[in-house]
Amino acid sequence: SHLNILFLSSEVAPFAKTGGLGDVAAALPKALHERGHDVRVFMPLYARIEQSKYRFRSIDSLRGLRVVVGARAFEVSIFAAQLPGSTMEVFFVHCPQLYRRPGIYTHDADEHLRFLVLNYAALEAAQRMRFAPDILHCNDWQTALAPLILKVRFSWDGAIFGRTRSVLTIHNLNYQGTFPASVLNDTGLGQAAHLLHQDQLREGKINSLLHGILYANAITTVSPTYAREIRTAEYGVGLEGFLKAREGAVFGILNGVDYSVWSPEADARIPFRYDVNHLELKEKNKQALLSRALLPALPGVPLIGIVSRLSGQKGFDLLPDALALALREGKIQLIVQGSGERRFERLFHGLRARFAHQVRFQTKFDDTLAHQIQAASDFFLMPSRYEPCGLTQLYALKYGTVPIVRKTGGLSDTVQLWDPRAGTGTGIVFNDYNAQAVHWAIEAAFNIYRD
């Protein structure tokens, strides 16, 4: 039976993305749409979306939508554009006073409002379109208040929302959207303050993600291992008790990948397309990237690739010694694309300066380069401290690029340790979160490469 799905996300690739959420928010609705479900995806129309690249149309029936949030009213209009590679449209909430800013996310005082308006606008647009969702699918803290907003502010409209059930997907539990309790009026939930978490209100804060966990009908996260981990104190970031209390409604569903975008056979962004039977063409991609990066081709030396946000979560604090040692011994070359915390940008700039013939580092995100690093590298390094699912290691597996990962979250579910005696396994997996473990993993990679 075909479902009506109202899907809310703060980012959808390729329009706007900072990480895995953007990829999944494109791939999952596209796959559901291809199965015949009616999926309406809503996201903000950020200033950084290159509108000239896509054909945007304004939706007349949704012109001049007045979104009233607490005491404030916002004039909103809705645009639509086709998702590249699909016949599905994505709907954009146009509200320049909130979204005409350089970044997707900000530290501005009205950050909570920017996403509250997305939630309200999507629900009101559904009413105006007479679109009755079976499922309201929310993603991360930015849309986690939607199940409670639906209950408090929209449940009167039984014709549209009478049978709606909500799903909250947690892509990363560490980002919770916690704001001072003074934003209560802005949420439009003032008359339902008794439904908010009372202890937190008394402490003077409102945690958006927590209210999604309390009120969504089902909670999913992006891998089975992460679903277990987030119910423990080590990974639960203060929400483990609430997730444990709702244990029966928490499901770990491993993220998938859109292989029409990520596969070496079909990838238009790499110089040489290849498959499992033509690995000599993978080698040609390596030579091409080395020459693009002005690095010498060193026979017998593996290339390690990294494409990542440079944050503490990703485990980069484990790398300085192990990488410097391997580079000093001439055992590896390294190409890194990523930006984020200064200390990690300094680390890779420093390695680049010390090992000019072995290391390249680019902070600017370039989708083409991300594809070329996957196709060219011999190994792909992901030493994460925690990892809800991780997509780049899945891309690496598809491109025949051996992942080097720590055994946590989705990395644990997707990469099995290579066992040379049995001839089984798909990558190099280390357990402990320390520099010695990374050193062991890089040594193991070097030894496998020589085989």
Side-chain angles (χ1 to χ4, degrees):
S1 66
H2 291 159
L3 298 174
N4 288 347
I5 302 166
L6 185 62
F7 189 98
L8 313 185
S9 179
S10 57
E11 47 184 84
V12 179
F15 303 108
K17 110 173 199 186
T18 62
L21 168 62
D23 285 334
V24 176
L28 175 60
K30 176 184 165 185
L32 291 166
H33 169 78
E34 282 165 8
R35 293 190 165 195
H37 302 295
D38 189 345
V39 191
R40 314 269 172 110
V41 178
F42 279 79
M43 70 177 291
L45 185 52
Y46 301 108
R48 65 154 55 173
I49 295 176
E50 296 176 56
Q51 289 191 40
S52 55
K53 264 195 188 171
Y54 313 101
R55 292 239 299 280
F56 277 79
R57 64 183 187 91
S58 98
I59 296 175
D60 296 339
S61 64
L62 297 176
R63 202 170 260 160
L65 207 56
R66 265 193 92 210
V67 176
V68 181
V69 189
R72 311 191 201 195
F74 294 89
E75 293 297 327
V76 162
S77 43
I78 307 285
F79 289 82
Q82 211 166 324
L83 181 71
S86 172
T87 55
M88 183 187 83
E89 283 192 311
V90 174
F91 295 89
F92 296 84
V93 178
H94 180 54
C95 184
Q97 80 187 92
L98 293 175
Y99 304 132
R100 191 181 284 153
R101 300 183 192 178
I104 295 180
Y105 305 118
T106 75
H107 293 291
D108 300 345
D110 61 354
E111 183 74 349
H112 62 293
L113 275 173
R114 298 176 70 235
F115 296 106
L116 282 163
V117 165
L118 169 64
N119 291 304
Y120 276 92
L123 291 164
E124 292 191 21
Q127 281 177 313
R128 278 230 199 155
M129 296 179 190
R130 312 303 300 152
F131 177 71
D134 299 289
I135 303 289
L136 169 65
H137 192 151
C138 318
N139 294 276
D140 280 353
W141 76 260
Q142 293 86 358
T143 56
L145 278 170
L148 184 56
I149 291 169
L150 178 68
K151 178 185 167 83
V152 173
R153 297 291 304 276
F154 290 87
S155 58
W156 61 268
D157 190 348
I160 298 294
F161 297 115
R163 60 168 198 270
T164 306
R165 295 290 169 269
S166 56
V167 178
L168 168 69
T169 298
I170 298 170
H171 300 263
N172 192 331
L173 192 67
N174 275 56
Y175 301 105
Q176 297 179 4
T178 300
F179 296 98
S182 55
V183 308
L184 177 61
N185 281 335
D186 287 344
T187 63
L189 300 170
Q191 82 268 37
H194 61 284
L195 294 175
L196 294 169
H197 192 272
Q198 297 303 297
D199 292 349
Q200 284 204 339
L201 267 186
R202 277 193 292 275
E203 287 166 25
K205 57 187 192 208
I206 295 174
N207 177 321
S208 311
L209 190 64
L210 166 62
H211 289 91
I213 291 168
L214 293 175
Y215 287 103
N217 295 108
I219 300 151
T220 68
T221 188
V222 290
S223 73
T225 297
Y226 192 60
R228 288 192 298 276
E229 288 175 342
I230 59 178
R231 287 175 254 170
T232 66
E234 189 186 347
Y235 291 97
V237 206
L239 297 180
E240 59 275 10
F242 302 103
L243 287 158
K244 245 183 133 46
R246 294 221 52 203
E247 212 146 37
V250 177
F251 303 89
I253 302 171
L254 195 63
N255 268 345
V257 170
D258 183 346
Y259 287 127
S260 71
V261 177
W262 290 98
S263 84
E265 296 99 319
D267 193 335
R269 294 186 177 87
I270 63 176
F272 303 95
R273 295 182 192 181
Y274 62 94
D275 60 25
V276 70
N277 301 314
H278 298 91
L279 289 179
E280 70 283 356
L281 292 172
K282 181 169 177 35
E283 184 64 24
K284 286 182 105 165
N285 281 295
K286 178 178 176 178
Q287 303 308 328
L289 183 61
L290 290 172
S291 86
R292 173 183 166 178
L294 304 178
L295 285 173
L298 304 173
V301 176
L303 175 64
I304 294 182
I306 295 175
V307 178
S308 181
R309 267 201 329 274
L310 302 184
S311 68
Q313 171 206 334
K314 298 295 185 180
F316 294 116
D317 44 355
L318 301 183
L319 296 185
D321 298 344
L323 285 179
L325 180 61
L327 288 162
R328 211 167 42 242
E329 293 176 345
K331 284 183 173 169
I332 60 167
Q333 286 177 300
L334 180 67
I335 291 192
V336 181
Q337 174 177 273
S339 62
E341 292 180 33
R342 284 280 150 67
R343 55 184 175 140
F344 299 132
E345 292 189 6
R346 276 200 300 272
L347 160 69
F348 290 118
H349 280 305
L351 290 174
R352 157 87 178 81
R354 277 173 67 193
F355 304 102
H357 294 308
Q358 291 162 275
V359 180
R360 285 293 177 269
F361 173 44
Q362 175 169 314
T363 53
K364 180 179 174 296
F365 184 76
D366 164 358
D367 206 32
T368 298
L369 181 61
H371 283 251
Q372 291 179 359
I373 289 173
Q374 288 284 9
S377 301
D378 299 296
F379 295 95
F380 192 87
L381 180 57
M382 259 181 113
S384 305
R385 179 187 296 270
Y386 67 92
E387 194 60 69
C389 174
L391 292 171
T392 43
Q393 86 280 9
L394 292 172
Y395 305 155
L397 288 166
K398 186 69 173 168
Y399 283 71
T401 301
V402 178
I404 304 173
V405 302
R406 192 170 92 82
K407 192 175 179 63
T408 181
L411 301 175
S412 171
D413 292 319
T414 52
V415 183
Q416 281 69 51
L417 178 62
W418 165 248
D419 176 345
R421 276 189 300 279
T424 56
T426 53
I428 295 167
V429 183
F430 62 95
N431 292 318
D432 297 339
Y433 191 77
N434 59 41
Q436 289 83 344
V438 174
H439 175 67
W440 170 84
I442 291 174
E443 279 296 301
F446 181 66
N447 290 328
I448 288 173
Y449 185 72
R450 286 163 47 188
D451 182 345

